[in-house]
Amino acid sequence: NIFRVENQIVNLDGLNRLPAEVVEINPGVLAELGLIDNLNKPIKILGRGELTRILKFNSVKVSESARIKIESLGGSVNEG
């Protein structure tokens, strides 16, 4: 499919290892921490693993299973 969009994937279990001062996840933070390679490609957070801390997600796509895990801990998702 020539119209297929390739997302950069980040799983929840990889976010538990981030420094404690990181409380907001956005494309800039993910690039700075080396979790994505390209700010111009879409990013999707997937629900593999468990999230162990409260995080706020901005400007990234989030799967339904990841959203449930994020919000159940008190985190938030703004895909805008």
Side-chain angles (χ1 to χ4, degrees):
N1 181 349
I2 63 171
F3 298 108
R4 183 169 187 249
V5 175
E6 192 72 31
N7 288 306
Q8 298 178 89
I9 303 299
V10 178
N11 283 291
L12 288 179
D13 57 4
L15 299 175
N16 291 323
R17 294 179 289 239
L18 296 180
E21 63 270 9
V22 175
V23 295
E24 183 175 328
I25 303 298
N26 60 49
V29 169
L30 293 172
E32 183 179 305
L33 296 169
L35 295 173
I36 62 167
D37 297 325
N38 188 334
L39 285 173
N40 296 318
K41 287 186 178 179
I43 303 158
K44 187 148 191 184
I45 308 296
L46 299 182
R48 186 185 79 194
E50 293 300 320
L51 188 62
T52 58
R53 53 195 280 201
I54 297 171
L55 295 170
K56 296 178 183 179
F57 292 80
N58 290 306
S59 302
V60 294
K61 294 179 184 175
V62 178
S63 71
E64 188 60 32
S65 63
R67 180 184 293 274
I68 290 167
K69 291 177 181 182
I70 292 163
E71 291 177 346
S72 71
L73 282 174
S76 63
V77 175
N78 178 7
E79 292 188 22

